[in-house]
């Protein structure tokens, strides 16, 4: 069974698989916004934008609070930091693996006498 962090990551990455939701997150990096503000550039209903927000909220990427008559949507930066950390860990591992492969390839004997073995020769 997946642990809680893995489950949150799965929900967050799934939520960001939709271009409208990615755009909403991008726009929220500038500051909080209402559903009406967020819906303005799209040719979709307020209800559709609200559904997108619900997916983002369930994934922990956004939250909503009440301010008098307004309910601004807020980007949860900690969720993005968790995702970024996951990506960076795996990127580092892949880069380390490639560096080890390059070292092994550099140590291989040259296929032709009198030449040197470099990554460019491959």
């Amino acid at each position: 069974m997946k642990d809680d962090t893995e489950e949150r990551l799965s929900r967050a990455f799934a939520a960001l698989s939709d271009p409208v939701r990615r755009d909403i997150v991008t726009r929220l990096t500038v500051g909080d916004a209402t559903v009406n503000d967020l819906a303005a550039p799209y040719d979709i209903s307020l209800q559709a934008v609200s559904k997108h927000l619900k997916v983002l909220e369930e994934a922990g990427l956004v939250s909503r609070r009440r301010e008098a008559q307004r309910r601004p949507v807020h980007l949860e930066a900690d969720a993005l930091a968790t995702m970024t950390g996951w990506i960076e860990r795996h990127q580092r591992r892949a880069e380390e693996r490639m560096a080890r492969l390059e070292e092994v390839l550099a140590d291989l004997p040259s296929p032709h006498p009198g030449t040197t073995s470099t990554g460019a020769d491959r």
Side-chain angles (χ1 to χ4, degrees):
M1 187 166 161
K2 293 181 179 179
D3 69 17
D4 190 44
T5 301
E6 279 191 49
E7 188 61 36
R8 282 192 312 244
L9 279 170
S10 293
R11 282 195 313 266
F13 281 117
L16 292 177
S17 68
D18 183 276
V20 171
R21 291 192 289 263
R22 285 193 307 272
D23 187 59
I24 288 170
V25 167
T26 299
R27 292 174 54 220
L28 288 172
T29 61
V30 176
D32 295 358
T34 65
V35 174
N36 285 334
D37 294 336
L38 293 170
Y42 306 113
D43 190 24
I44 57 177
S45 68
L46 281 176
Q47 183 179 7
V49 172
S50 290
K51 285 182 180 182
H52 282 298
L53 290 172
K54 183 175 177 157
V55 171
L56 292 169
E57 196 169 13
E58 289 172 352
L61 292 166
V62 302
S63 61
R64 297 189 227 194
R65 65 183 187 284
R66 187 171 290 285
E67 288 180 359
Q69 299 301 318
R70 297 179 66 228
R71 289 199 56 188
V73 180
H74 174 76
L75 179 64
E76 294 297 330
D78 289 347
L80 292 178
T82 300
M83 296 173 76
T84 301
W86 184 89
I87 291 168
E88 288 173 347
R89 266 191 313 283
H90 292 283
Q91 179 182 6
R92 244 186 337 270
R93 288 177 64 193
E95 288 170 352
E96 289 167 359
R97 191 179 84 237
M98 289 304 296
R100 285 192 307 271
L101 177 60
E102 288 174 3
E103 288 174 12
V104 168
L105 291 175
D107 290 342
L108 289 176
S110 174
H112 304 289
T115 63
T116 60
S117 177
T118 66
D121 292 337
R122 306 225 179 276

